[in-house]
Amino acid sequence: MYLFLDWFFTALHLIIIGFNLVGWIWRKTRALHFVFVLLTAGSWLILGIWFGLGYCPITDWQWQLKEKLGETNLPNSFIKYFVDKVTGGNVSSTFVDIATASCFIAAVLLSVYLNFIKKKR
């Protein structure tokens, strides 16, 4: 059961990350995209006040599962974990955090522009 839940949380993470990055592209998903980036930013920044900047409850739950599956020394970030797994390396946490924040900010700005500024024109 733990293995299934681990795969489920990995898929959920990848779907949310993908949607946060490209959900602004399609007119029909722009409003939902804006909600998703607000929820993500809220988790990272507001929950981050209590749990640490960049906090994600999905990562928290998945790390609890991974520990039960015997994994140790898990990074703070799912993205760092996944990049390391895909590349087989140990990519700098700072690099991953900067790349993540940069891509996220770009997606938020595009979402705001397309949902609120371009819409008015």
Side-chain angles (χ1 to χ4, degrees):
M1 184 61 159
Y2 290 148
L3 195 54
F4 168 78
L5 288 171
D6 183 37
W7 280 96
F8 170 78
F9 282 124
T10 296
L12 182 62
H13 261 121
L14 294 175
I15 289 166
I16 291 170
I17 291 165
F19 189 67
N20 276 347
L21 291 174
V22 299
W24 55 269
I25 294 172
W26 303 279
R27 192 176 310 256
K28 290 184 177 183
T29 62
R30 287 179 184 162
L32 183 62
H33 176 263
F34 185 70
V35 170
F36 265 75
V37 295
L38 280 180
L39 290 171
T40 301
S43 175
W44 289 357
L45 302 173
I46 296 170
L47 291 177
I49 293 169
W50 295 278
F51 298 105
L53 186 65
Y55 176 75
C56 173
I58 298 169
T59 302
D60 197 359
W61 299 327
Q62 188 168 16
W63 276 199
Q64 290 173 33
L65 288 168
K66 287 190 172 299
E67 287 171 355
K68 289 178 181 178
L69 290 167
E71 287 195 52
T72 57
N73 299 321
L74 295 163
N76 291 331
S77 161
F78 170 81
I79 296 173
K80 158 85 170 121
Y81 175 85
F82 193 76
V83 167
D84 286 352
K85 285 290 184 190
V86 169
T87 64
N90 183 16
V91 179
S92 161
S93 292
T94 302
F95 174 79
V96 172
D97 290 346
I98 290 170
T100 299
S102 299
C103 291
F104 183 74
I105 290 168
V108 169
L109 292 174
L110 285 163
S111 188
V112 168
Y113 173 75
L114 292 169
N115 277 297
F116 301 103
I117 298 169
K118 184 178 180 194
K119 202 174 197 176
K120 290 181 180 180
R121 291 182 183 186

